[in-house]
Amino acid sequence: MNDDETDTTKTTAKTLWSETILEILYETLRRNKPDQELLGVLKEVQQKGFKRDYILEKVARKVDERSATRVRHLLNKQ
């Protein structure tokens, strides 16, 4: 395996994990989990490098605007 293949594998793995953590966020919101659980997921999402505005935009599109408002309030508390 050469360096290009290794870089591609790392990028693919990072992208898959990033999409997975966003899906976990959406599902946490859809199931109306408690704020503490949601905060834990949001922390992981932010640790992956996602910015606040991007998170809010994705939640509004993938879940709904009410969930985006909830996320906005929780992010403001941090």
Side-chain angles (χ1 to χ4, degrees), residues 48-60:
K48 291 295 174 196
F50 291 110
K51 301 294 182 203
R52 181 181 191 275
D53 290 340
Y54 180 80
I55 296 167
L56 294 171
E57 176 187 322
K58 292 290 275 190
V59 168

Side-chain angles (χ1 to χ4, degrees), residues 14-69:
K14 182 178 179 182
T15 302
L16 288 174
W17 176 243
S18 298
E19 287 303 314
T20 301
I21 194 63
L22 287 172
E23 288 298 327
I24 292 169
L25 173 62
Y26 307 148
E27 195 58 29
T28 302
L29 288 161
R30 287 182 190 118
R31 292 181 181 208
N32 202 27
K33 295 288 186 171
D35 286 354
Q36 271 311 113
E37 191 171 335
L38 183 56
L39 281 169
V41 175
L42 283 170
K43 183 177 179 179
E44 286 187 54
V45 170
Q46 289 180 308
Q47 286 174 344
K48 291 295 174 196
F50 291 110
K51 301 294 182 203
R52 181 181 191 275
D53 290 340
Y54 180 80
I55 296 167
L56 294 171
E57 176 187 322
K58 292 290 275 190
V59 168
R61 274 194 295 166
K62 295 283 189 169
V63 185
D64 59 27
E65 194 60 45
R66 186 179 64 81
S67 294
T69 301

